Each structure stands twice: as structure tokens, then as C-alpha cells.
Amino acid sequence: MTTRRTFLLAFLLTTALLAGAVTVLATQDSRDTTSRSPAPDSVAPSAVAPSAQSRTTRARSKAAGKAIMGNAWSSTWSATVPSSTAAPARALGTGRCAALYGWATARSAVPRGTASAAFTLSAPDDSPVVVRSLRIVKGRTVPAPQGQDVECVGAVDRTVGQNLDEWGELSLDAPRDVRLSRYVRPGGTTGGIVDARTLGCSCEWWIQLEVLEGGAARTVRIDDAGRPFTIASPVARIGTPADDDAQRYGAPDLALARGDGGAGADARVTNGLSVSGTRLFSGSDQEMWAVTNRKVRGLARITADLDVPGAVCERLERSLMAVGARPAAHATYAVLFADKSPDMDAETVTDISLHVERPRRLDAEPMGYGCYPDDWNLQMNTSREGATVLIDRAAQGDSDPSASSDLPVFTGEPVTYYQESARGPATDALFFGVSATGPADVEYRFTIEVTLKSRSGKVTHHTLDDAGRSFVIAARPVGDFPGQGQHLYREVGKKVG
């Protein structure tokens, strides 16, 4: 019995010690677990109310936005660059809006009057999203910008898709909700463009969407990579109504700066009449020729699609124009007239001529680029050109080839104004071609001289140029085509040169 009692006592004592050890370990584990629990601002899911938990776990859609110039040929982008630095010449003129926009936005340019933004909204892979409303929200007031005013006529931002929907043209002076019911399937993406306008707000702003995601309401803010967009009240136009009207005829965009030699629109409008000159794109039935001082990089991604009719020549020409390439051999020009005066004289005639400066010889023969569109048929926009002018010193027979000259284009040509709307100007356009021949290292510079004569005897004269600089066209030797080391393409899948 003594032995049994001794064994029983030892067993009970061992059990008690084991129980104490387990209790201590459990307490220590509980403390460790407590030290590893979420902080108050990241509460564990079990502690969240059902509705809040649903909103927290299901808010997985993603939104992104960026400021853009615009999305239509009729758009105008106007901004002030808060800097004393003048816009560089390489960013001004025909086809230079992308360069001007890049230069200006890198210096924190503030849009004036109108600002555009593109955005996308992506739904989670396992849940749809329904966009219920959209609005633009006015943020804090910012000082009105002081500096260089710049403008782009025909502001189409080609860094975003051209088929994006317009979601609204909204006023920051009178904000309102745009009611929507746009369904985005799981894993799908929607997006569009919003235009914000103001007459008196110098402020920050952003886009706000109200959406249903996973059955829960959510507010989505869209800004410029975490920063609000900006806008300021409008300023006087730099471009003229005639500059605007040129866009409808396929003119390239036009980059302008106040004080670039053309001053503002008010200085280039006489009694409600404005006149503008521009070079047109080659079009689908005209060969495109251009020259540059050096090889242009990045064109291979465009010419890789030569087997797609209509996809190469225009894009190639835009890209070359954006880096300062000069048209060669032949180009089509337009003179645009726009009259907003109430006493407009409908019976007006015009004389148009080219004032050609003495030819310039380049230090080296330039790099040539050519492209034949799929519909090319040996016709060079003759359906629109009312006249063609040849610039060739030898053909003109000048005794002094270094002298400037004046070449007539139209004499006593009627200007027939047409007014599309009661609020818009009455307009007309005349088209002509310019051909240039000579040595391959020669280029010609010229201005377009326009004289208008009304029936009442009033005479006005206008000198037209490319944003303060002369128009330029490069010569091409008669019968010559790009030779070895130059680039010639045709939209039938062929790289010819």
C-alpha cells in the first residue's frame, strides 16, 4: 500500500506540473498572437461590419487618367507656361503641336478656358462594375499663371485612342452630375474623354465616378497620376477663325505662341476678316516626298504595316512633319478666308502670289523619304488645285539666280463666302500646288502674298507664313527618285528604296 500510495502521489504531482507548463505555453502563445494582430487602421476582416467588409474586399477596380490636348480636329488647346523662356522654334508651326504640348507640359503649363482628360476604368476579373454617374470636382484655388501663352489649332492628342467616347463637356463654374448606367464586364475596361470648361476659375480639379462594384457603392477619383488637373480662365486667342477653318480641309495642326511674329488673333484680324495659309497633307491620291537633315529614328514601326492600305503614308508624313522635315518636289497649299463682319462684302476678288526668297544650298545633300499611297494614280491633288506654280531658277530664266522673285498664282480670283451658321464666320478657300526643281541640296523659302479687293473699292493686303517663318519646300532634280541610302515605300507591302 505504501508503494501504491507513493506511485499515486508521484503521478498526481507529474500531472499537475504538466498542466502548469501547458498553461504557461498557452498564455505565451496568446501574447505572441496579440503582438502580431493587425493595427487599428488595418482591422482584421472578422472585426469589420458586413457592409464595410464587402466594400473593403471588393474595391479592386483600377482607374487611371492623364491630361491631353484634345481629341478632335476642331479642338483648340490653349495654355500659359509659367516661365520666362520663350517657346522654341522647333515647337512652333505646321504639324508641331505634339512638340509644343510636350515642351509646355514639361514646364507645368496650365490650360486656359478648357482642359481635357482621358481616363480608363478596369473591373476586377471576377466582378462587374456599373458606372452610375460622373462629375468634375473643383479643388483648391491656385494663382492665375503668368508667362508665355501658347496655343494649338487642331489639337488631336495621338497618344490616346482616337475612338474614345466623349463622356461630357462640363463646367467647373456650375458643376453637375452626369447620370449614367454603363456596365463593365468582369475583367473589362471602359474609358473616355472629359472636357472641363471655366470662365473664371483658376483652380485644381479632378473627375469623380460613382460606381457599383460587387454590389457595393464606391466613389472613384480620377486625376493625373495622383495629382489634380489644373485650369485657369480663358485668354485671348492666338489663332484666327481662318486658322480654325483650315482644319476642315485636312490641314495639319498649327502650333502658335503669343509674340512669335504673328502676335495674337486680334492683330491678324482686320475688321472681322482673317486670312490664313497652310500646307495640306498629301492625301490618298498623291505621292509624299520629304527631306530631313539626318535619318529619322522610329519610322520602322510605321512602315512595318505597308500591307495595310491607307495606314502608312499619312502617319509617315505626320511623323516627319513633327520633326521638321520639309516637303519636297510638290506640295498643296490652301488660302483660307473667314469674315465675321456684319457688313461683309460678298463680291470680293483676290490676287495671290508667292514671294520667293533666294534659294538656300544645304551643307550636305539631305535624307529623302517618299511614300506612294495605295490609291496613287499619278494625279497630284489636281481635283482641288486651281493653279500650280513652278519654282525653278533655270526655268524662270533669271539673270541673277540669287535674287528673290514674285510668282503669280491667282489674279482677280473671286472669293465666294459661305456661312454655315448664324454665329460662325463666312468662309471660303482657294487651293494651289507648288512644285520645286533644282539640285538636291537646294530648298526654297517663300511667303504667300494675298490682296483682297471689295466691290466698294476697299483693298486689304495679307502676308501669310508658317507661324512667323517662311514656308519651305525642297527641290528635287527632274525625273530623280530617292537613290541608294534613301527611303521609299509603297502601300502594297513594298519597301522600294
Side-chain angles (χ1 to χ4, degrees), residues 16 21 59 111 197 205 213 306 332 382 422 490:
R197 298 186 182 276
W205 67 280
E213 182 179 332
L306 282 170
T332 303
T382 53
R490 187 163 184 181

Side-chain angles (χ1 to χ4, degrees), residues 45-66:
S46 59
V48 182
S51 60
Q53 178 179 343
S54 173
R55 181 175 302 182
T56 301
T57 58
R58 294 177 183 175
R60 292 174 290 122
S61 60
K62 297 179 180 179
K66 64 175 291 187

Side-chain angles (χ1 to χ4, degrees), residues 68-133:
I68 64 172
M69 276 194 298
N71 199 48
W73 62 265
S74 57
S75 301
T76 298
W77 177 75
S78 175
T80 298
V81 183
S83 168
S84 58
T85 304
R90 61 174 175 79
L92 299 175
T94 302
R96 306 290 185 87
C97 277
L100 179 64
Y101 184 75
W103 175 85
T105 54
R107 289 159 179 77
S108 303
V110 179
R112 305 304 297 254
T114 301
S116 299
F119 73 92
T120 58
L121 176 69
S122 301
D125 291 338
D126 58 354
S127 176
V129 169
V130 179
V131 183
R132 304 298 301 274
S133 69

